Amino acid sequence: MIRKYLVWLAFAFVFETSVFASVVEKSEPFRPETGKFPPIEKAHAYRGELIFVDHPNRRGSIRVEGTGKFYRNDPHPFALLPYGMVRYHDAPADLRDVPLGTVMHAHGFLPPDPKTSSVPVLPPNNKDKDAGHYRGTGIFPSENHILLLEDEPSHCRRNGLVWKLQEVKLNNLVGTIVASRQPIDGEKTKVEPKTMTFDAATRIWRGRESIRISDLIEEKAWPENGKKDLSDQPVLLGITWKPAPGDGLSGAFTSFHVSDIWLDDQSIEHAAYFLTQKNNSFIRTRWMPAYVNEVKYGKFGQATATLTLFGGMDQALYDDFKKDIGGQINGAENTLKHTASHYGPGHMASGGKIVQVTKQESNIPLGSSGIQVDFKTDQIIEAIRPGRVVRIRPDSWPKSQIPREEYLFNNSPENRFPTPDIFPKY
Amino acid sequence: MKLNFARWVSTLHLVLFILVSNARPEEQPFRPETGKFPPLEKAHSYRGELVFVDHANRRGSIRIQGEGMYFRNKPHPFAMLPYGIIRYHNAPAQLRDIPLGTVLHVRAFLPPDPKLSAVPVLPINNRNKTAGYSGKGIAPAENHVILLEDEASHCLREGKVWELKEVNIKDGAGKIIARRESKNSGTKAEEETMTFDAATRIWRGLEKLQVADLVHEGTWPESGKKSLKDQAVLLGITWRPTPDGVFTRFHVSDVWLDDVSIQRAARNQTETHKAFIRSRWMPAFVDAIEYGKFGTATVTATLFGGMDDSLYADFKKDVSAMMNPVENTLKHTHGAAPAIWPAEAQSLRSQGSKAMLRLAAAVSGFDSRPT
């Protein structure tokens, strides 16, 4: 009897701990360690409209979708982690490339070091608090340090999803679309369809053509007036938000708006091409960001630094890092600002040679490229220390001057660690 | 002899007066009066790259093209005047519609009321001061903007086009030599060299093309130079860091090859802006108020300019309407429920750009001349 009871107790204990452990893992806020790439599974996911951008400091604000009236939600400040990735039109991007108003998917963590956070530090359980004033919960999570920020088509392509259009209803070039986000392949899943608005400004992309609602009407693909069944037509959508009609007491409070429709693969690949090229040019002039893993010091200022290049860039950029070519490393802050560049970032940087390039083949965490570079220099500068962020350039990238707000000068703590004071308190 | 001397002095005086009075609009900073629309001719003009936007307060920063090293120029804060107009792709726009990095043409004045300026108030002669290697002209005191427009809007408003002289290309990137010419002027403008790359968008009718498409079609060479024989186009202009010690060279982000392509871009932006104004309401100055009894009043307001005609056409005699006070930033004074506070209008009479509303209950904020 006692033996039976003990077995039952042990079973109950194992069951409870495993169930509660999984719940804790899901809801527990996660704080990344400096110098390590955190697992995306531990990030808190939310989405919202991009409201404000301070691109030199890689931060901004998002109106986060919660459980209440969307329009009342205060813009919520966020900062990109140094290795945080932005994707727009299914291509690598910088914050400055994303138009204000774009609805973005965010995967965020607690600030790695609250003392140096460039955005307000909030209580860890903030995402569960009711914000009051009809705003509901979830609108200001403390997980405001972002690993991945991506627009709707990037989110869908990364997860193998498409929007299946069920019905369009329009009158005078304005109307609503009923659609659900579904896996590209496989059976239709039971997802509640969303009703979104569109208007005459909605851009429709087909191959390399940019067309309008009126063109679809002219081609009889959509009706001039009334409803039409679209038979689960698979597309990608660009999503924004616009105020929905209503007087503040009644109306649709969280209805999103379709800014773009990509009708085929060629059209989104075309969009991705332009942004990829833009980002390649951007990184070649600003240099590749990386973590310093290790420094082996030699004599008279000589050293070999091992770096991990940050992830999410176009492969063409990583291909430029080859063994035995020359290059430069410059110190950078967590904002990825160069620590000096009054005569261009190359002026104060350590010059040297790439002596080894190592590629990790699997288990590469998001944020890392999985590429390690051993860089030998005759004159190591102060900023190249384990755990610090640096920027590296192979000699094949141009030497150029970067704009004033993207580098530090006469460094002060305020410049190195921007405070959250810029954000208005509503 | 005495008479000749007097005549000489008066002639000299006249010549000096003419010279000085001609120079004044160019040299004298102009401060608009609150509640009055200042003359565009008195505005200081400059251009630069949009670096920062605080769209909710209608302000931002621009890196202004001066005489020196462009990359060193600090972003220069500006604020839109309440009636300040923004144009993008030759259509009305809001600051939030303009991508960061776009090179914009600016027409601006001194702050109407320095005490209330949302951006730093600078010494009046600041545009003539030299800022190290940045040179002169990068931080004018004229930071209250009446007109902010992108290159395409600027060219179409002034009847200009870019005439492409030559393209020099290698690996899908290169340089274009072009001149911004008046369509009807016989004079030749100065040539500018600008960069382009594989991210440059080329618009032709409904199509969005890559540089590679032009190469594929044989319009542009795969490598080397080609004369483009003054091909007339519109350009979108940005700035990118330039190698080879070149400090101020702009970058072509877009090329519109024909009228259809820019008209389609304008239509799209116009529709975006119309939806914006319909949900945020038309801004206007209050000209006069005639008070009646028990809170009734008739307000005469001048609608601000620069919008699409279809928005103004919505203001018709005898339609009902609402009016809400706003700040100089055009923010509603109670945005959470604007429909509760404004007074219901019984009638509306349009007089050109003026609108008269008879209000059932005037609210605070409708003093003469606020927005």
Side-chain angles (χ1 to χ4, degrees), chain A residues 32 36-38 40 58 78-87 92-95 107-109 112 144-150 279 282-283 289-291 309-313 318 334-336 365-368 389 391:
Chain A
K36 286 189 181 169
F37 300 102
I40 191 163
R58 285 177 42 97
F78 70 88
L80 288 166
L81 288 161
Y83 43 82
M85 301 181 323
V86 182
R87 289 190 65 81
D94 187 69
L95 263 184
H107 291 263
F109 296 101
N144 53 14
H145 278 62
I146 307 291
L147 172 61
L148 178 62
L149 190 68
E150 56 185 357
N279 195 63
F282 175 78
I283 293 295
Y291 259 146
L309 308 183
F310 288 171
M313 317 275 177
Y318 297 120
N334 282 340
T335 54
L336 304 189
L366 207 67
S368 167
V389 176
R391 300 195 84 141

Side-chain angles (χ1 to χ4, degrees), chain A residues 49-56 71-72 89 95-97 99-100 173 199-203 205-206 208-212 215 241-243 246-249 269-271 273-275 277-279 281-282 285-286 341-344 398-407 422 426, chain B residues 49-56 63 69 71-75 95-96 99-100 133 197-213 217 239-247 263-265 267-269 271-272 275-276 279-280 331 335-340:
Chain A
E49 177 197 8
L50 188 69
I51 302 293
F52 170 76
V53 159
D54 172 17
H55 69 86
Y71 80 97
R72 281 205 174 172
H89 290 176
L95 263 184
R96 74 191 79 189
D97 299 324
L100 294 176
L173 302 177
D199 61 18
T202 298
R203 295 167 291 243
W205 304 93
R206 183 172 60 191
R208 61 187 198 184
E209 281 184 327
S210 167
I211 59 175
R212 304 195 290 237
D215 296 316
W241 177 79
K242 289 196 178 175
D247 61 1
L249 300 172
E269 284 158 13
H270 198 54
Y273 169 85
F274 284 99
L275 199 57
Q277 296 302 323
K278 189 178 182 190
N279 195 63
S281 162
F282 175 78
T285 50
R286 270 67 170 194
S341 185
H342 217 40
Y343 294 86
K399 258 190 181 178
S400 47
Q401 292 81 25
I402 57 172
R404 178 62 195 90
E405 66 278 11
E406 293 183 34
Y407 64 87
I422 189 175
Y426 292 97
Chain B
E49 175 198 10
L50 187 69
V51 175
F52 172 77
V53 160
D54 172 15
H55 71 85
R63 189 187 336 282
M69 294 180 178
F71 79 97
R72 280 202 175 174
N73 301 355
K74 296 169 188 168
L95 270 181
R96 73 187 78 191
L100 292 174
Y133 289 118
D197 63 15
T200 299
R201 297 168 290 238
I202 295 155
W203 304 89
R204 182 175 62 189
L206 274 62
E207 291 179 307
K208 178 184 177 185
L209 304 173
Q210 302 169 5
V211 168
D213 294 320
E217 291 173 5
W239 176 80
R240 295 212 181 157
T242 316
D244 310 325
V246 176
F247 294 120
Q263 283 160 7
R264 288 181 75 90
R267 173 49 52 197
N268 189 278
Q269 177 55 46
E271 294 298 336
T272 300
F276 177 84
S279 58
R280 269 69 168 191
K331 271 191 189 183
I340 292 174

